[in-house]
Amino acid sequence: MGHLELDLNLSDEAKAAGETARRFGLEVMRPAGEALDKLADPADVIAPDSILWDVFRQFRQLGFHRGAIPAELGGMAEEIDSMAGVLIAEAMGYGDAGLAVSLGASAFPFRLAALSPAPEVREFARAYCEDQKAELIGCWAITEPDHGSDWIMGMAPTFDDPRCAPSVRAVLKGDEYIVSGQKAAWVSNGTIATHAALHVCLDPSKGMQGSGLAVIPLDLPGISRGKPLDKMGQRPLNQGELFFEEVRIPTSHMVVPDPAMMAMVARIILASANGGMGIIFAGLAQAVYDEALKYARQRVQGGVPIFEHQNVKLKLFDMFIKTEAARAYARRMALYNALNSLSPSCHHAVAAKLLSTQTAFEVAAQAIQVFGGNGLSREYPIEKMFRDAKAAMIEDGENSALAIAAAADL
Ligand SMILES: Cc1cc2nc3c(=O)[nH]c(=O)nc-3n(C[C@H](O)[C@H](O)[C@H](O)COP(=O)(O)OP(=O)(O)OC[C@H]3O[C@@H](n4cnc5c(N)ncnc54)[C@H](O)[C@@H]3O)c2cc1C
């Protein structure tokens, strides 16, 4: 990563973790992401011999998956320098944004399981920490075919409108919940996950406010999957539907069984997801800028490297300003929220998500102009980065819907 490190307070631990993650991002994730992006059929991305699994395994072997889980369950939450976690996420976005999301989303149900008082649920987190073969993969199953933005409007007045009630229902019967319904094809890791953090409707009369959150293994009777989703950007990121037909789960798996509690938990999740997106896509913006600068120094037109032409120089400096600003803000927000994990600032996290994804998209569009025709060619990295950035403006909440929701906090 070609930026001058302006943050002079980084600990040695954070610097070392950032450097390891940068090497992993550039040497493992970048080439894997480029190869996976070129596969025409998204089913090949997750084939048993796919390079995707090498990425997952190497990530686990580095221990990066254990960051947010307490030591008593095999994690490193108490030990790891908060800034180290931020730099790891940034370097992964620099390597490949879609794979960074896949690896990040994979941890989510296990992080949630670690918060449960039920020993059998906490065991999911322990097994995940121990897993170096990437046999356990998580997903965050929230979006439904008829409820996308509805889920993220938690800070808006429509949240308790019964018309917005989620369609995946969990009905309490004795010591079990019976779960039925469908999650959308957008669930990241949807067709490869072994465990889900599953948002369910507990009380439809309260709309989205009547929801709860379960952690469940996805091999239970009554669960089936759709085909891997074929989409424009972040193609290395597997996505697909989950179907639930009268699935019986023990009450202990409903980690948030009380809708009143859900409001607080939803804010923590929103801040964490958007904060992560802010960091990952600041990393992508940096990757785009570095590629454009490198190309401008090599490509000769008019007898000189195109960097010598004023229009190219101005474009690159504008890209540099935006990238520096997005990274500085995303880091600052992520560190604050990491240190205040139970009362994070949602609107700052959403602001970082919007700033970084918009920046990545804008610098990628500028980079295509710098590359000229080669910017459109699949032989060069920029058109993929442009597609990856575009997807991010909808991922984890469409940007304008997120802005409306977060503005309620101003
Ligand atoms: C790459 C990627 C990864 C994703 N990963 C996951 C995942 O891991 N798990 C998961 O569950 N989901 C995931 N999603 C789904 C994502 O969260 C949704 O796509 C997103 O919330 C938008 O929902 P939607 O697509 O249904 O759009 P819609 O909600 O239909 O929105 C369409 C348009 O209408 C506008 N709109 C909708 N409602 C309102 C409103 N109330 N007020 C104002 N404007 C409104 C929106 O701003 C948008 O412009 C992912 C999506 C992408 C693209």
Side-chain angles (χ1 to χ4, degrees):
M1 275 161 98
H3 70 267
L4 173 67
E5 184 53 71
L6 297 182
D7 196 335
L8 299 177
N9 294 323
L10 293 180
S11 66
D12 288 344
E13 185 196 342
K15 277 187 215 157
E19 272 160 31
T20 304
R22 271 198 294 280
R23 268 198 309 279
F24 174 68
L26 207 51
E27 292 168 14
V28 179
M29 294 175 74
R30 181 76 61 84
E34 285 172 358
L36 294 169
D37 178 71
K38 291 197 168 72
L39 298 174
D41 184 348
D44 292 338
V45 169
I46 57 165
D49 60 349
S50 168
I51 195 169
L52 175 75
W53 304 115
D54 293 334
V55 175
F56 263 89
R57 280 189 288 266
Q58 289 193 48
F59 178 76
R60 299 280 171 98
Q61 282 152 16
L62 286 168
F64 287 161
H65 65 303
R66 299 191 290 129
I69 295 178
E72 58 174 306
L73 294 170
M76 305 193 304
E78 299 88 347
E79 297 157 34
I80 194 168
D81 179 308
S82 298
M83 199 59 194
V86 174
L87 296 186
I88 290 169
E90 186 184 297
M92 285 163 49
Y94 187 80
D96 186 275
L99 287 174
V101 171
S102 185
L103 294 165
S106 182
F108 186 53
F110 305 105
R111 288 172 61 182
L112 198 59
L115 302 176
S116 166
E120 68 272 26
V121 177
R122 289 164 67 76
E123 274 314 303
F124 296 152
R126 185 191 305 282
Y128 171 72
C129 288
E130 284 170 3
D131 175 27
Q132 301 218 337
K133 295 187 185 155
E135 287 170 343
L136 300 180
I137 292 183
C139 70
W140 176 35
I142 178 165
T143 307
E144 299 174 349
D146 293 333
H147 299 288
S149 304
D150 285 350
W151 280 106
I152 51 122
M153 301 311 263
M155 292 177 260
T158 53
F159 209 59
D160 59 0
D161 186 333
R163 287 176 305 173
C164 300
S167 49
V168 173
R169 300 273 157 99
V171 179
L172 187 60
K173 276 204 179 138
D175 57 359
E176 288 179 329
Y177 284 94
I178 314 294
V179 179
S180 296
Q182 180 193 342
K183 290 293 175 185
W186 294 105
V187 175
S188 297
N189 299 337
T191 81
I192 56 173
T194 56
H195 291 72
L198 177 68
H199 289 254
V200 296
C201 177
L202 295 171
D203 180 355
S205 72
K206 294 194 177 127
M208 283 291 160
Q209 205 131 50
S211 63
L213 182 54
V215 175
I216 61 165
L218 290 171
D219 58 357
L220 299 174
I223 299 178
S224 56
R225 331 260 180 145
K227 291 192 308 189
L229 178 73
D230 196 6
K231 63 184 190 293
M232 181 179 113
Q234 298 182 34
R235 291 178 62 82
L237 168 67
N238 165 264
Q239 293 181 284
E241 293 151 315
L242 290 168
F243 301 93
F244 302 88
E245 206 180 319
E246 308 249 317
V247 178
R248 301 154 79 97
I249 62 167
T251 45
S252 63
H253 287 37
M254 194 63 71
V255 176
V256 186
D258 176 2
M261 234 173 97
M262 193 60 216
M264 186 192 80
V265 175
R267 288 181 69 84
I268 294 175
I269 293 174
L270 194 69
S272 165
N274 280 280
M277 290 288 289
I279 285 291
I280 288 172
F281 287 88
L284 174 59
Q286 181 74 42
V288 169
Y289 166 76
D290 286 355
E291 289 296 327
L293 182 61
K294 188 169 74 184
Y295 184 84
R297 286 187 170 137
Q298 288 166 355
R299 170 77 174 165
V300 174
Q301 286 294 285
V304 293
I306 59 170
F307 181 78
E308 299 305 328
H309 300 304
Q310 290 287 54
N311 58 336
V312 174
K313 223 177 242 181
L314 286 174
K315 220 169 249 122
L316 283 163
F317 201 75
D318 187 54
M319 293 162 68
F320 167 74
I321 297 171
K322 288 175 183 159
T323 301
E324 288 288 318
R327 184 179 57 247
Y329 180 63
R331 280 188 184 185
R332 197 171 170 80
M333 170 282 310
L335 187 58
Y336 177 88
N337 279 353
L339 296 173
N340 294 280
S341 57
L342 292 179
S343 55
S345 172
C346 272
H347 60 298
H348 283 89
V350 168
K353 192 264 181 171
L354 267 57
L355 179 62
S356 289
T357 57
Q358 183 70 34
T359 297
F361 180 68
E362 284 174 13
V363 297
Q366 288 174 301
I368 290 177
Q369 299 305 119
V370 170
F371 272 70
N374 286 338
L376 304 171
S377 161
R378 299 197 71 188
E379 269 182 49
Y380 291 82
I382 292 301
E383 65 84 33
K384 171 185 181 295
M385 292 175 171
F386 177 77
R387 287 184 282 112
D388 289 351
K390 184 69 230 178
M393 295 162 83
I394 297 163
E395 191 166 16
D396 286 359
E398 190 277 326
N399 279 4
S400 63
L402 278 172
I404 292 173
D409 267 9
L410 295 181

